[in-house]
PDB file of all heavy atoms in Angstrom:
ATOM      1  N   ALA A 595     136.608 -24.695   3.723  1.00 54.00           N
ATOM      2  CA  ALA A 595     135.134 -25.263   3.531  1.00 54.00           C
ATOM      3  C   ALA A 595     134.364 -25.089   4.806  1.00 54.00           C
ATOM      4  O   ALA A 595     133.199 -24.730   4.780  1.00 54.00           O
ATOM      5  CB  ALA A 595     135.168 -26.664   2.994  1.00 54.00           C
ATOM      6  N   GLN A 596     134.981 -25.499   5.855  1.00 44.00           N
ATOM      7  CA  GLN A 596     134.216 -25.505   7.238  1.00 44.00           C
ATOM      8  C   GLN A 596     133.864 -23.956   7.490  1.00 44.00           C
ATOM      9  O   GLN A 596     132.660 -23.731   7.876  1.00 44.00           O
ATOM     10  CB  GLN A 596     135.156 -25.988   8.328  1.00 44.00           C
ATOM     11  CG  GLN A 596     134.516 -25.993   9.669  1.00 44.00           C
ATOM     12  CD  GLN A 596     133.328 -26.979   9.706  1.00 44.00           C
ATOM     13  OE1 GLN A 596     133.542 -28.063   9.028  1.00 44.00           O
ATOM     14  NE2 GLN A 596     132.456 -26.823  10.500  1.00 44.00           N
ATOM     15  N   GLU A 597     134.620 -23.054   7.280  1.00 52.00           N
ATOM     16  CA  GLU A 597     134.367 -21.731   7.578  1.00 52.00           C
ATOM     17  C   GLU A 597     133.286 -21.196   6.757  1.00 52.00           C
ATOM     18  O   GLU A 597     132.341 -20.524   7.209  1.00 52.00           O
ATOM     19  CB  GLU A 597     135.618 -20.814   7.399  1.00 52.00           C
ATOM     20  CG  GLU A 597     135.462 -19.386   7.764  1.00 52.00           C
ATOM     21  CD  GLU A 597     136.704 -18.492   7.561  1.00 52.00           C
ATOM     22  OE1 GLU A 597     137.810 -18.986   7.732  1.00 52.00           O
ATOM     23  OE2 GLU A 597     136.510 -17.444   6.933  1.00 52.00           O
ATOM     24  N   VAL A 598     133.256 -21.476   5.383  1.00 51.00           N
ATOM     25  CA  VAL A 598     132.339 -21.028   4.470  1.00 51.00           C
ATOM     26  C   VAL A 598     130.899 -21.642   4.841  1.00 51.00           C
ATOM     27  O   VAL A 598     129.892 -21.085   4.875  1.00 51.00           O
ATOM     28  CB  VAL A 598     132.613 -21.485   3.165  1.00 51.00           C
ATOM     29  CG1 VAL A 598     131.495 -21.193   2.189  1.00 51.00           C
ATOM     30  CG2 VAL A 598     133.852 -20.656   2.660  1.00 51.00           C
ATOM     31  N   GLY A 599     130.905 -22.978   5.261  1.00 52.00           N
ATOM     32  CA  GLY A 599     129.626 -23.627   5.655  1.00 52.00           C
ATOM     33  C   GLY A 599     129.125 -22.963   6.830  1.00 52.00           C
ATOM     34  O   GLY A 599     127.817 -22.768   6.831  1.00 52.00           O
ATOM     35  N   GLN A 600     129.783 -22.494   7.758  1.00 46.00           N
ATOM     36  CA  GLN A 600     129.283 -21.801   8.993  1.00 46.00           C
ATOM     37  C   GLN A 600     128.666 -20.459   8.505  1.00 46.00           C
ATOM     38  O   GLN A 600     127.600 -20.064   9.153  1.00 46.00           O
ATOM     39  CB  GLN A 600     130.282 -21.638   9.938  1.00 46.00           C
ATOM     40  CG  GLN A 600     130.678 -22.947  10.628  1.00 46.00           C
ATOM     41  CD  GLN A 600     131.908 -22.903  11.590  1.00 46.00           C
ATOM     42  OE1 GLN A 600     132.588 -21.912  11.672  1.00 46.00           O
ATOM     43  NE2 GLN A 600     132.191 -23.908  12.284  1.00 46.00           N
ATOM     44  N   LYS A 601     129.331 -19.753   7.630  1.00 55.00           N
ATOM     45  CA  LYS A 601     128.779 -18.478   7.153  1.00 55.00           C
ATOM     46  C   LYS A 601     127.537 -18.577   6.382  1.00 55.00           C
ATOM     47  O   LYS A 601     126.725 -17.619   6.530  1.00 55.00           O
ATOM     48  CB  LYS A 601     129.867 -17.779   6.333  1.00 55.00           C
ATOM     49  CG  LYS A 601     131.049 -17.242   7.161  1.00 55.00           C
ATOM     50  CD  LYS A 601     132.069 -16.614   6.320  1.00 55.00           C
ATOM     51  CE  LYS A 601     133.281 -16.123   7.098  1.00 55.00           C
ATOM     52  NZ  LYS A 601     134.281 -15.442   6.262  1.00 55.00           N
ATOM     53  N   LEU A 602     127.431 -19.638   5.611  1.00 54.00           N
ATOM     54  CA  LEU A 602     126.165 -19.908   4.754  1.00 54.00           C
ATOM     55  C   LEU A 602     125.056 -20.273   5.601  1.00 54.00           C
ATOM     56  O   LEU A 602     123.875 -20.109   5.310  1.00 54.00           O
ATOM     57  CB  LEU A 602     126.521 -20.778   3.602  1.00 54.00           C
ATOM     58  CG  LEU A 602     127.441 -20.322   2.481  1.00 54.00           C
ATOM     59  CD1 LEU A 602     127.612 -21.404   1.512  1.00 54.00           C
ATOM     60  CD2 LEU A 602     126.814 -19.135   1.808  1.00 54.00           C
ATOM     61  N   GLY A 603     125.289 -21.013   6.679  1.00 52.00           N
ATOM     62  CA  GLY A 603     124.308 -21.632   7.549  1.00 52.00           C
ATOM     63  C   GLY A 603     123.791 -22.934   6.804  1.00 52.00           C
ATOM     64  O   GLY A 603     123.824 -23.107   5.588  1.00 52.00           O
ATOM     65  N   LEU A 604     123.381 -23.952   7.649  1.00 48.00           N
ATOM     66  CA  LEU A 604     122.852 -25.153   7.084  1.00 48.00           C
ATOM     67  C   LEU A 604     121.514 -25.386   7.611  1.00 48.00           C
ATOM     68  O   LEU A 604     121.082 -25.042   8.740  1.00 48.00           O
ATOM     69  CB  LEU A 604     123.776 -26.291   7.608  1.00 48.00           C
ATOM     70  CG  LEU A 604     125.270 -26.225   7.175  1.00 48.00           C
ATOM     71  CD1 LEU A 604     126.106 -27.301   7.850  1.00 48.00           C
ATOM     72  CD2 LEU A 604     125.380 -26.395   5.631  1.00 48.00           C
ATOM     73  N   ARG A 605     120.842 -26.160   6.842  1.00 43.00           N
ATOM     74  CA  ARG A 605     119.482 -26.554   7.238  1.00 43.00           C
ATOM     75  C   ARG A 605     119.576 -27.851   7.990  1.00 43.00           C
ATOM     76  O   ARG A 605     120.430 -28.617   7.836  1.00 43.00           O
ATOM     77  CB  ARG A 605     118.509 -26.761   6.004  1.00 43.00           C
ATOM     78  CG  ARG A 605     118.420 -25.545   5.090  1.00 43.00           C
ATOM     79  CD  ARG A 605     117.772 -25.995   3.910  1.00 43.00           C
ATOM     80  NE  ARG A 605     117.922 -24.755   3.042  1.00 43.00           N
ATOM     81  CZ  ARG A 605     116.963 -24.023   2.623  1.00 43.00           C
ATOM     82  NH1 ARG A 605     115.780 -24.368   2.855  1.00 43.00           N
ATOM     83  NH2 ARG A 605     117.128 -22.989   1.780  1.00 43.00           N
ATOM     84  N   THR A 606     118.568 -28.047   8.998  1.00 36.00           N
ATOM     85  CA  THR A 606     118.642 -29.230   9.793  1.00 36.00           C
ATOM     86  C   THR A 606     117.892 -30.323   9.238  1.00 36.00           C
ATOM     87  O   THR A 606     117.982 -31.590   9.614  1.00 36.00           O
ATOM     88  CB  THR A 606     118.113 -28.889  11.080  1.00 36.00           C
ATOM     89  OG1 THR A 606     116.882 -28.428  11.111  1.00 36.00           O
ATOM     90  CG2 THR A 606     119.091 -27.921  11.823  1.00 36.00           C
ATOM     91  N   GLU A 607     116.886 -30.157   8.338  1.00 38.00           N
ATOM     92  CA  GLU A 607     116.186 -31.228   7.706  1.00 38.00           C
ATOM     93  C   GLU A 607     116.225 -31.126   6.132  1.00 38.00           C
ATOM     94  O   GLU A 607     116.035 -30.108   5.557  1.00 38.00           O
ATOM     95  CB  GLU A 607     114.641 -31.108   8.058  1.00 38.00           C
ATOM     96  CG  GLU A 607     114.449 -31.323   9.581  1.00 38.00           C
ATOM     97  CD  GLU A 607     112.946 -31.277   9.958  1.00 38.00           C
ATOM     98  OE1 GLU A 607     112.149 -31.351   9.099  1.00 38.00           O
ATOM     99  OE2 GLU A 607     112.705 -31.024  11.178  1.00 38.00           O
ATOM    100  N   ALA A 608     116.361 -32.327   5.500  1.00 39.00           N
ATOM    101  CA  ALA A 608     116.580 -32.413   4.135  1.00 39.00           C
ATOM    102  C   ALA A 608     115.119 -32.761   3.547  1.00 39.00           C
ATOM    103  O   ALA A 608     114.366 -33.482   4.020  1.00 39.00           O
ATOM    104  CB  ALA A 608     117.398 -33.425   3.721  1.00 39.00           C
ATOM    105  N   PRO A 609     114.795 -32.069   2.427  1.00 43.00           N
ATOM    106  CA  PRO A 609     113.490 -32.371   1.809  1.00 43.00           C
ATOM    107  C   PRO A 609     113.555 -33.695   1.040  1.00 43.00           C
ATOM    108  O   PRO A 609     114.693 -34.246   0.815  1.00 43.00           O
ATOM    109  CB  PRO A 609     113.369 -31.249   0.724  1.00 43.00           C
ATOM    110  CG  PRO A 609     114.665 -30.805   0.424  1.00 43.00           C
ATOM    111  CD  PRO A 609     115.490 -31.023   1.759  1.00 43.00           C
ATOM    112  N   GLU A 610     112.507 -34.277   0.684  1.00 47.00           N
ATOM    113  CA  GLU A 610     112.426 -35.360  -0.172  1.00 47.00           C
ATOM    114  C   GLU A 610     113.004 -35.004  -1.494  1.00 47.00           C
ATOM    115  O   GLU A 610     112.831 -33.888  -2.072  1.00 47.00           O
ATOM    116  CB  GLU A 610     111.061 -35.899  -0.389  1.00 47.00           C
ATOM    117  CG  GLU A 610     110.440 -36.506   0.905  1.00 47.00           C
ATOM    118  CD  GLU A 610     111.259 -37.827   1.431  1.00 47.00           C
ATOM    119  OE1 GLU A 610     111.612 -38.500   0.686  1.00 47.00           O
ATOM    120  OE2 GLU A 610     111.466 -37.713   2.608  1.00 47.00           O
ATOM    121  N   ALA A 611     113.831 -35.982  -2.119  1.00 51.00           N
ATOM    122  CA  ALA A 611     114.455 -35.559  -3.448  1.00 51.00           C
ATOM    123  C   ALA A 611     114.514 -36.754  -4.291  1.00 51.00           C
ATOM    124  O   ALA A 611     114.443 -37.910  -3.858  1.00 51.00           O
ATOM    125  CB  ALA A 611     115.798 -35.019  -3.103  1.00 51.00           C
ATOM    126  N   ASP A 612     114.694 -36.527  -5.573  1.00 65.00           N
ATOM    127  CA  ASP A 612     115.005 -37.565  -6.563  1.00 65.00           C
ATOM    128  C   ASP A 612     116.460 -37.913  -6.388  1.00 65.00           C
ATOM    129  O   ASP A 612     117.313 -37.131  -6.615  1.00 65.00           O
ATOM    130  CB  ASP A 612     114.709 -36.986  -7.960  1.00 65.00           C
ATOM    131  CG  ASP A 612     115.043 -38.136  -9.086  1.00 65.00           C
ATOM    132  OD1 ASP A 612     115.172 -39.259  -8.618  1.00 65.00           O
ATOM    133  OD2 ASP A 612     115.165 -37.705 -10.217  1.00 65.00           O
TER     134      ASP A 612
END
Side-chain angles (χ1 to χ4, degrees):
Q596 181 69 30
E597 181 182 324
V598 172
Q600 291 172 350
K601 287 180 182 178
L602 291 175
L604 299 172
R605 298 171 193 245
T606 57
E607 295 181 20
E610 291 300 314
D612 178 13

